């Protein structure tokens, strides 16, 4: 991933900045400029909305054939999380006990390293999920 | 008034790790075979469509349609590459259909080609993952396998689908693949092999995943009224449908359904005037075992949640209720990603010509192909009929 | 040094990665009696960061909790200083990344600090000055590290990871920082040259002329200036490179085990370097009663100490119900690993390609 491509999304990746449709109230992450439900009516009304970072696991998998940046963590666990705001996000699950992973598991977003360009290159940070205490 | 469309020629390379062949070699082989099969001459060809997912990243070559056209001796013939991820081949076929049906072209070659093994396996999987949402799925660690695995887990949770039911998709497709001379894997496997295979992304193991393969295929289209004037035994292309959905899995309201598939099927059945019950066979996009279970539900062959039990019962085996993936599917025949849709069309034509050998469906009259892009961001369905 | 206007801690939070490795595990790899080594150092285990954790992620977690306790939004923070000797970049600030992650950017000032293990308390002093002078309303000071000891070196038994963050402000204080004193000399006891992966140290020279001279000198001077005695303090926390040094210093200065025990985390998590005193202070704030006096003395090699006299306010009790975990609660999340996993996580395995 190139530097500008990552830099452009820093607010989304670090802080979970999404949008809310001013017409129907549906929340989206990442931000969209048009609500797929309201389309024309939503233009200019997609307002910034922070995803607080709490939610529940709706599905999960343990990855044994990793993405290159995640090799040192394999096997690692990916989860899809339904956030309290109603929007769903995909991310890695960290700091958990394997036997406790399952549907409805309550998780919170934390900032972690996602990868790096190279040992001398830029480091990418972004959200991951961990069990709520 | 749209013209009727026929397929009058097919060609296909073997599928697998074809170390000796380049992308252009594969394209030439499949294309020439199809031209020979149809009995047409090069001058008659009005247009060439080529489905290909990612030559740019896999072999660092763009403009591959003119490249392949050039090397089959048709450098002046108009040609274009179609990209729709794993559905590139199927979408190219839809474009070819429209060119002929509209009257813009008479003879159209639709090919599909992919060379996956000139990069390492990890890089090939990473490139395939470019058909998911790079920024909001894979950057966070989601592999292509893991996205299907999460759909599988969800399907298991909501519908009670089991690992054993999923394993039987692979077992059946290997059984069929063993009867297909062009298949990458020509050996039967037992359910235990699937269940005990090393995990790729739980609950999916090695045998739940289709390989990444090299291969190419081509078909020749012409208007229905011209079909009998050529050598190749014609097959009717009755209609097609395309559907779309959110490209990222987490944006979909339902994770146990591919909305793109059901939309595509609805349109294809409507256009062809057929119903799921009319189909004798279906080639569906089984890049993972769970994909076939979801596909046979979303295409209307089985109710939602019944795909697993139906597979386990043998309702999708050769000459059963509906023969699914008689070619061996992506699982056993192989997955040259951008060519898959054309490989499926080649199988449909073989079946409807009665030339599918040991895997022939008895008295096959109608069949369907289902080709998926990404994790379900787009789907295309074609319906074929026997020439009467 | 006393500020002209009231300054103190408005919010705080500390984080320690969950993996632990014991001295026994480390010793076994190098043919040493790790348990004896651990006993000599007063360390039962040390924290190990996951491969996706570094000073940015640790600082961010601590800063988010500190902010939550302060009741402020990120845009109310006028300055962020992160003290560490293991910033992920040699050039590119940690503080800007933390600032972006907590929503404090862009209208703020920021910089990274390095002063061996006392960079975090130097950050606190900087924020105090900015707040007391009226230049900013609130600032965040962080001390955090993911320090590394060379494989087989004595430091490998103790060098660990963790950090704490403090929102320094002038209002709604949980604890007032009533006084601070520093002592600074040129003492080459511990260093890391540019481009080197692991630090080097002067062995036993790190003790008397370095740690003890500064920690005891700074603490004594501050108590003299304040006219206070060890018995005036409910709690004390000193820099803790191991379990022995702070207890010896405390004993010589006249502090009891009871005064020391809340802030002494090194026995469980090892030496968190710039995070050590900040984490110890956070653990004390977790249990301090309104009116409790707290004495804090950091130490950074090279060398210097910062001393603080802090008094807990009546607000300190209220924030315990806000859902932010206490240090003891954070430490409960423990997962033990062996040396093989440790080597993998700490990037000590030579990889191809």
């Amino acid at each position: 991933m190139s530097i500008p491509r990552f830099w452009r999304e820093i607010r989304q990746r670090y802080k979970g900045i999404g949008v809310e449709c001013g017409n129907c109230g549906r929340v989206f992450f990442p931000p969209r400029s048009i609500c797929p439900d309201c389309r024309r009516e939503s233009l200019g009304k997609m307002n910034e909305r922070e995803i607080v970072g709490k939610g529940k696991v709706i599905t999960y998998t343990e990855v044994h054939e990793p993405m290159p940046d995640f090799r040192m963590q394999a096997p690692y666990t990916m989860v899809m999380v339904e956030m309290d705001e109603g929007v769903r996000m995909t991310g890695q699950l960290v700091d958990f006990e394997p036997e406790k992973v399952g549907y409805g598991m309550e998780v919170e977003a934390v900032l972690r390293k996602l990868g790096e360009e190279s040992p001398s290159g830029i480091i990418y940070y972004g959200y991951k999920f961990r069990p709520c205490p | 008034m749209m013209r009727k469309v026929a397929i009058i020629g097919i060609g296909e390379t073997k599928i697998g790790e074809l170390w000796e062949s380049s992308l252009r070699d594969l394209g030439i082989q499949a294309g020439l075979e199809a031209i020979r099969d149809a009995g047409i001459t090069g001058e008659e060809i009005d247009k060439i469509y080529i489905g290909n997912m990612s030559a740019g990243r896999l072999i660092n070559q763009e403009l591959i349609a003119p490249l392949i056209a050039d090397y089959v001796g048709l450098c002046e013939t108009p040609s274009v590459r179609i990209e729709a991820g794993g559905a590139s081949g199927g979408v190219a076929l839809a474009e070819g259909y429209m060119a002929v049906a509209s009257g813009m072209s008479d003879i159209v070659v639709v090919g599909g080609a992919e060379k996956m093994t000139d990069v390492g396996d990890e890089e090939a999987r990473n490139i395939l993952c470019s058909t998911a949402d790079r920024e909001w799925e894979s950057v966070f660690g989601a592999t292509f396998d893991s996205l299907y695995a999460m759909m599988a887990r969800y399907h298991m949770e909501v519908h009670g689908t089991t690992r054993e039911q999923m394993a039987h998709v692979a077992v059946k497709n290997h059984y069929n693949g063993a009867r297909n001379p062009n298949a990458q894997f020509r050996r039967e496997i037992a359910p235990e092999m699937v269940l005990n295979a090393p995990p790729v992304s739980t609950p999916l193991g090695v045998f739940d995943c289709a390989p990444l393969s090299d291969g190419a295929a081509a078909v020749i289209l012409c208007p229905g009224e011209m079909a009998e004037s050529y050598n190749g035994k014609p097959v009717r292309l009755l209609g097609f449908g395309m559907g779309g959905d959110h490209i990222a899995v987490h944006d979909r309201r339902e994770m146990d359904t591919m909305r793109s598939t059901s939309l595509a099927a609805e349109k294809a059945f409507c256009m062809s005037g057929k119903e799921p019950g009319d189909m004798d066979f279906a080639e569906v996009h089984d890049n993972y075992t769970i994909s076939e279970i979801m596909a046979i539900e979303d295409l209307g062959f089985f109710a939602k949640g019944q795909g697993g039990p139906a597979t386990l019962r043998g309702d999708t085996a050769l000459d059963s209720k509906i023969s699914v993936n008689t070619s061996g599917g992506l699982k056993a025949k192989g997955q040259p990603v951008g060519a898959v849709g054309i490989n499926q069309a080649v199988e449909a034509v073989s079946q409807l010509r009665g030339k599918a050998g040991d895997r022939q469906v008895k008295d096959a009259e109608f069949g369907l192909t289902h080709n998926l892009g990404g994790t379900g961001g787009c789907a295309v369905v074609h319906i074929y009929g026997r020439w009467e | 040094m006393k500020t002209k206007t009231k300054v103190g801690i408005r919010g705080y939070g500390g984080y320690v990665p969950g993996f632990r490795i014991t001295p026994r595990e480390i010793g076994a790899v190098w043919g040493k009696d790790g348990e004896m080594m651990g006993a000599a150092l007063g360390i039962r285990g040390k924290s190990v960061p996951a491969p996706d954790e570094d000073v940015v992620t640790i600082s961010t977690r601590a800063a988010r909790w500190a902010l939550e306790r302060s009741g402020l939004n990120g845009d109310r923070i006028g300055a962020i200083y992160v003290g560490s000797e293991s910033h992920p970049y040699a050039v590119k600030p940690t503080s800007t990344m933390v600032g972006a992650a907590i929503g404090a950017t862009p209208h703020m000032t920021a910089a990274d600090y390095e002063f061996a293990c006392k960079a975090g308390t130097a950050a606190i002093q900087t924020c105090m000055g900015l707040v007391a002078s009226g230049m900013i309303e609130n600032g965040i000071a962080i001390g955090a590290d993911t320090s590394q000891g060379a494989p087989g070196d004595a430091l490998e038994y103790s060098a660990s990871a963790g950090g704490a963050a403090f929102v320094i402000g002038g209002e709604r204080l949980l604890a007032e920082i009533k006084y601070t004193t520093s002592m600074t000399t040129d003492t080459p006891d511990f260093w890391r040259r540019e481009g080197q992966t692991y630090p080097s140290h002067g062995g036993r020279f790190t003790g008397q002329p370095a740690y003890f001279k500064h920690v005891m000198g700074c603490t004594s001077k501050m108590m003299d200036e304040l006219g206070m005695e060890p018995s005036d303090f409910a709690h004390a926390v000193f820099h803790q490179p191991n379990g022995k040094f702070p207890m010896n210093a405390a004993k010589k200065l006249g502090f009891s085990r009871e005064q020391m025990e809340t802030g002494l985390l090194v026995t469980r998590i090892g030496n968190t370097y710039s995070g050590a005193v900040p984490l110890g202070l956070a653990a004390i704030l977790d249990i301090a009663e309104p009116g409790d006096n707290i004495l804090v003395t950091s130490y950074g090699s090279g060398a210097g100490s910062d001393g603080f006299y802090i008094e807990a306010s009546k607000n300190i009790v209220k924030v315990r119900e806000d859902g932010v975990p206490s240090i003891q609660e954070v430490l409960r999340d423990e997962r033990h690993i062996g040396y093989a996993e440790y080597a993998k996580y700490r990037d000590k395995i030579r990889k191809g390609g």
Side-chain angles (χ1 to χ4, degrees), chain B residues 112-237:
Chain B
E114 204 78 62
K115 181 71 197 171
M116 302 292 293
T117 61
D118 277 358
V119 295
D121 186 49
E122 188 181 77
E123 183 59 11
R125 284 188 282 117
N126 191 14
I127 291 169
L128 180 62
C129 208
S130 299
T131 63
D133 189 335
R134 178 66 63 177
E135 307 250 24
W136 305 104
E137 291 181 325
S138 31
V139 161
F140 292 91
T143 59
F144 204 62
D145 312 316
S146 74
L147 294 166
Y148 277 93
M150 285 193 278
M151 289 189 261
R153 180 89 69 191
Y154 189 82
H155 206 280
M156 290 166 83
E157 175 73 11
V158 174
H159 300 293
T161 301
T162 64
R163 285 272 296 120
E164 196 192 6
Q165 291 165 355
M166 284 156 59
H168 274 80
V169 171
V171 170
K172 167 184 68 71
N173 292 351
H174 270 256
Y175 176 91
N176 293 343
R179 285 151 183 78
N180 184 348
N182 285 337
Q184 179 164 1
F185 299 128
R186 299 201 59 200
R187 62 176 197 280
E188 293 178 26
I189 56 171
E192 295 70 40
M193 282 174 74
V194 186
L195 294 169
N196 298 329
V200 169
S201 194
T202 60
L204 304 177
V206 169
F207 278 97
D208 289 285
C209 308
L212 297 180
S213 328
D214 305 328
V219 297
I220 314 289
L221 307 185
C222 82
E225 66 265 23
M226 293 165 63
E228 287 180 11
S229 50
Y230 294 98
N231 287 350
K233 186 176 178 188
V235 161
R236 292 187 290 159
L237 190 48

Side-chain angles (χ1 to χ4, degrees), chain C:
Chain C
M1 294 182 278
K2 186 165 169 51
T3 55
K4 283 183 179 165
T5 59
K6 197 165 156 180
V7 175
I9 296 163
R10 186 166 175 170
Y12 69 95
Y15 173 72
V16 177
F19 292 117
R20 300 282 185 276
I21 187 167
T22 60
R24 181 199 169 110
E25 281 280 345
I26 296 169
V29 174
W30 305 110
K32 293 208 169 122
D33 185 340
E35 277 184 67
M36 207 165 85
M37 194 77 177
L41 289 167
I43 287 174
R44 297 197 302 272
K46 69 165 191 170
S47 64
V48 179
D52 60 356
E53 291 186 296
D54 62 16
V55 168
V56 171
T57 67
I58 291 169
S59 298
T60 298
R61 191 142 172 86
R64 281 180 177 163
W65 278 331
L67 208 54
E68 197 174 328
R69 278 204 175 113
S70 75
L72 295 168
N73 278 332
D75 58 8
R76 297 279 308 280
I77 299 301
I80 297 180
Y81 294 94
V82 183
S84 178
E85 59 146 71
S86 48
H87 291 290
Y89 290 90
V91 179
K92 185 185 185 310
T94 301
S95 46
T96 55
M97 292 182 265
V98 175
I102 64 169
T105 53
H107 303 295
M108 57 170 245
T109 183
D112 286 3
Y113 276 177
E114 186 281 310
F115 193 148
C117 299
K118 81 156 190 104
T121 54
I124 293 176
Q125 288 181 333
T126 306
C127 285
M128 288 170 65
L130 291 173
V131 170
S133 66
M135 288 172 70
I136 60 170
E137 276 183 35
N138 303 284
I140 291 184
I142 301 169
D145 258 308
T146 55
S147 45
Q148 291 254 39
D153 187 87
L155 278 181
E156 197 182 15
Y157 294 89
S158 60
S160 67
F166 300 91
V167 176
I168 305 295
E171 291 167 14
R172 291 183 56 189
L173 302 179
L174 309 181
E176 186 185 348
I177 305 175
K178 304 191 89 153
Y179 201 81
T180 180
T181 290
S182 290
M183 173 175 174
T184 307
T185 70
D186 182 1
T187 309
D189 58 327
F190 175 104
W191 63 91
R192 180 165 65 82
R193 294 278 300 274
E194 184 71 45
Q196 295 295 307
T197 308
Y198 302 111
S200 307
H201 54 85
R204 293 187 57 80
F205 182 75
T206 58
Q208 210 52 54
Y211 178 88
F212 289 101
K213 175 176 155 187
H214 294 84
V215 168
M216 293 176 61
C218 181
T219 307
S220 305
K221 182 157 184 289
M222 188 169 75
M223 285 194 294
D224 284 351
E225 286 169 1
L226 290 165
M228 293 174 83
E229 309 256 319
S231 57
D232 293 327
F233 295 93
H235 304 279
V237 55
F238 298 142
H239 179 54
Q240 35 201 277
N242 53 55
K244 292 286 162 72
F245 277 23
M247 290 312 288
N248 286 348
K251 200 171 167 189
K252 285 177 192 159
L253 285 162
F255 289 89
S256 69
R257 178 165 288 278
E258 290 67 38
Q259 285 167 294
M260 296 292 292
E261 66 189 1
T262 307
L264 195 75
L265 304 173
V266 62
T267 51
R268 284 177 67 185
I269 60 171
N271 180 8
T272 54
Y273 284 55
S274 303
V277 155
L279 277 165
L281 172 58
I284 290 169
L285 293 173
D286 283 337
I287 58 126
E289 295 297 322
D292 274 0
N293 289 332
I294 303 161
L295 184 137
V296 178
T297 306
S298 65
Y299 173 70
S301 290
S305 280
D306 299 325
F308 299 87
Y309 159 37
I310 296 170
E311 185 188 318
S313 82
K314 61 180 190 324
N315 298 328
I316 193 84
V317 185
K318 274 187 267 173
V319 294
R320 288 175 196 153
E321 289 147 24
D322 61 6
V324 176
S326 68
I327 299 298
Q328 290 303 328
E329 282 165 343
V330 170
L331 295 187
R332 235 175 265 156
D333 176 30
E334 267 190 356
R335 278 152 287 133
H336 282 269
I337 54 173
Y339 198 90
E341 270 173 294
Y342 166 74
K344 179 176 158 186
Y345 292 165
R346 296 307 278 139
D347 207 20
K348 291 175 198 284
I349 295 175
R350 197 158 156 189
K351 292 165 282 188

